[in-house]
Amino acid sequence: MARTLFDKLWNAHLVRDIGGGTGLVAIDRILLHERTGGIALKALEESGRKVRDPARVFVTMDHVVDTLPGRGDRTIMPTGTDFILATREAAKAAGATLFDIGDARQGIVHVISPENAIVLPGLTLVCPDSHTCTQGALGALAWGIGSSEAEHALATGTLRVKRPAQMRVTIEGDLGPGVTAKDLALHVVARLGSGGGRAHVIEYAGPTIEALPVEARMTLCNMATELAAFTAVIAPDDKTVAWLKGRTYAPQGADWDAAVTAWADLRSDADARFDSEVTIDAAEVTPMVSWGTSPQQSARIDGRVPQLAAPIPGTAPTTPEAHARALAYMDLVEDGPLAGLPIDAAFIGSCTNARLPDLRIAAGILAGRKVAPGVRAICVPGSTRVKAEAEAEGLDQVFLAAGFEWREAGCSMCFFSGGESFGAQERVISTTNRNFESRQGPGTRTHIASPATVAASAIAGVITDPRDLSLEAC
């Protein structure tokens, strides 16, 4: 019988069919961070259990660690230091691999795992973080779990998983000038809605996906959780193989050759069937920006704030209550323009858009320009390696000359957890993945967009279509 990519990944890791659509699944890699990882490791130790296979466990400092230059264990977040110290102690006691503060491999968990080839095509990987779906872009089955599930995976190397349904989203055609994978991701979320992928594995496929660089595929898969999807996957191809070759934890020599041969089968069979199919024309995608308090509430940057009585064609509906609340929180009115809204801050970072190609895109727009007066602009590379590579290319000098702060690697102000934040009622244009109420600080109004849009908006001081500055530069 024809099989999908997910079928192949599931079958290869199914230890036992428990019944009721649930399977006991073998876990190849476990990723942890200091916000929840230390808790899971400590709880496991207190229960008298040990980590089954420490070589499969990787821990990083990313969520609560400060990103200000010269950082150490002390954090702006009141209890952050306790999280860092506890996670360090627990990781060392368990024998897990630790990417600590000051380690050249440290960074956001979903950035450092791919760049070190911890995740590989065909593997299963879990992490107590909802954006673990990012790593499905490399042909792995990767999903977010809770801390108690992390304990079970650490102790047994397995997890009980309710088998998800399957959806294929096929993207056809070419993305237009100035349109990025982030715009495509927001277009998909706006079309399908925040529950459009609920309890599904989404396979992204089609010529547009095949044309995307590996980092752009990660951006797209990263936001599958904003569709309530179990995860997302993309079949590995020659780009994937070339991108992974020679990285720290990639197979070497004959093992590499054998792995590449095995990966060639990691794609859906031509006549494989999915529970649902969605087709999107890439030519319809434009630069996008969120207007409300859910990624679903996104629109064309050259469009207008939707009217409840006249929603944007081809987008998922929202309730009157959610619509009204979003307008009030964001201080917007129906049918008002999105482009031209004044901003107080611009943020480039997160596991969605803080890789080297993202920084290159932003720097290309910032070069020779200055951030608008009154706008606070911050760039936080996704990993220490990304930061070093960007500095080797002189990108840090472009950001600094333009008026951006240049930070150490970490999650930073992607989310507020009691530490650093933007101000109440400040309007922030951000490359992050969520625009929930107070996501980047109490009362902060977040508009999510691509690195190009954030850079262009920082320069103009208002939400700006990056294509406008690109034309100006010509």
Side-chain angles (χ1 to χ4, degrees):
M1 190 171 82
R3 298 181 298 163
T4 64
L5 170 57
F6 170 72
D7 290 335
K8 296 176 182 181
L9 295 170
W10 177 272
N11 293 345
H13 291 85
L14 184 64
V15 177
R16 178 175 297 176
D17 186 341
I18 300 173
T22 300
L24 186 66
V25 177
I27 306 300
D28 296 314
R29 301 283 188 273
I30 303 169
L31 305 181
L32 302 172
H33 55 73
E34 82 279 27
R35 192 169 183 229
T36 56
I39 295 172
L41 288 167
K42 284 287 187 182
L44 190 68
E45 181 183 14
E46 290 169 1
S47 71
R49 297 181 176 90
K50 294 184 178 181
V51 175
R52 180 182 176 89
D53 188 352
R56 296 172 182 255
V57 183
F58 299 83
V59 186
T60 189
M61 305 292 188
D62 66 351
H63 269 62
V64 301
V65 64
D66 284 354
T67 58
L68 295 166
R71 68 179 177 191
D73 290 350
R74 300 191 63 168
T75 64
I76 297 172
M77 177 182 172
T79 58
T81 298
D82 296 335
F83 281 95
I84 290 170
L85 295 178
T87 300
R88 180 181 296 136
E89 178 185 2
K92 289 181 177 179
T97 299
L98 174 64
F99 301 149
D100 208 343
I101 300 168
D103 191 312
R105 301 166 298 175
Q106 176 272 337
I108 302 174
V109 64
H110 310 308
V111 176
I112 65 167
S113 174
E115 74 180 12
N116 285 288
I118 294 169
V119 63
L120 291 167
L123 296 187
T124 52
L125 180 149
V126 294
C127 175
D129 187 285
S130 60
H131 291 101
T132 306
C133 51
T134 305
Q135 303 182 59
L138 291 126
L141 184 57
W143 70 98
I145 58 174
S147 294
S148 58
E149 289 178 298
E151 291 177 47
H152 191 283
L154 288 164
T156 70
T158 63
L159 277 177
R160 288 169 55 101
V161 182
K162 179 77 172 178
R163 184 181 175 115
Q166 299 185 61
M167 174 188 296
R168 179 164 56 188
V169 177
T170 302
I171 317 292
E172 299 178 340
D174 298 325
L175 294 173
V179 180
T180 70
K182 180 62 164 291
D183 301 308
L184 177 58
L186 289 173
H187 180 93
V188 172
V189 177
R191 174 169 167 177
L192 300 183
S194 57
R198 188 176 306 281
H200 282 71
V201 169
I202 297 175
E203 179 176 342
Y204 285 107
T208 311
I209 302 303
E210 294 168 5
L212 290 177
V214 171
E215 294 90 347
R217 297 175 186 181
M218 288 189 231
T219 295
L220 184 59
C221 288
N222 174 273
M223 296 196 68
T225 190
E226 313 312 332
L227 294 161
F230 174 77
T231 192
V233 293
I234 294 175
D237 58 10
D238 290 344
K239 287 183 180 180
T240 314
V241 172
W243 196 87
L244 288 168
K245 188 174 184 179
R247 294 183 183 268
T248 306
Y249 291 98
Q252 305 294 323
D255 290 338
W256 171 259
D257 294 336
V260 172
T261 299
W263 297 342
D265 186 51
L266 292 178
R267 57 185 55 255
S268 293
D269 298 334
D271 51 350
R273 299 179 65 86
F274 292 78
D275 296 289
S276 60
E277 296 261 14
V278 176
T279 301
I280 291 174
D281 182 357
E284 296 177 355
V285 184
T286 66
M288 300 281 289
V289 65
S290 68
W291 60 267
T293 54
S294 163
Q296 171 185 328
Q297 294 172 326
S298 297
R300 299 170 58 109
I301 198 169
D302 57 0
R304 307 182 78 82
V305 178
Q307 302 176 66
L308 183 62
I312 300 170
T315 60
T318 187
T319 66
E321 294 78 14
H323 188 84
R325 178 166 178 156
L327 289 176
Y329 182 85
M330 296 300 292
D331 191 28
L332 298 176
V333 295
E334 288 188 338
D335 203 37
L338 288 165
L341 284 171
I343 62 168
D344 300 292
F347 181 82
I348 295 176
S350 83
C351 57
T352 316
N353 280 127
R355 297 175 181 82
L356 188 59
D358 299 313
L359 305 190
R360 286 172 179 157
I361 289 170
I365 290 174
L366 295 173
R369 296 185 169 107
K370 297 286 186 182
V371 171
V375 173
R376 184 185 183 192
I378 300 171
C379 179
V380 184
S383 71
T384 299
R385 174 173 173 166
V386 167
K387 181 174 183 284
E389 291 176 344
E391 290 173 350
E393 295 183 13
L395 301 186
D396 60 321
Q397 297 306 308
V398 175
F399 279 93
L400 290 167
F404 267 75
E405 297 177 35
W406 181 253
R407 297 291 194 91
E408 299 293 335
C411 297
S412 190
M413 285 186 280
C414 173
F415 74 104
F416 174 72
S417 60
E420 194 176 11
S421 70
F422 294 105
Q425 285 75 58
E426 286 192 354
R427 194 175 300 281
V428 182
I429 187 83
S430 176
T431 66
T432 52
N433 41 51
R434 287 180 173 160
N435 54 331
F436 305 154
E437 293 182 17
S438 300
R439 171 72 179 183
Q440 291 191 280
T444 299
R445 296 166 175 148
T446 297
H447 294 269
I448 47 179
S450 72
T453 296
V454 173
S457 301
I459 293 163
V462 299
I463 293 179
T464 299
D465 188 332
R467 296 172 298 184
D468 294 344
L469 287 188
S470 296
L471 290 171
E472 179 186 309
C474 297

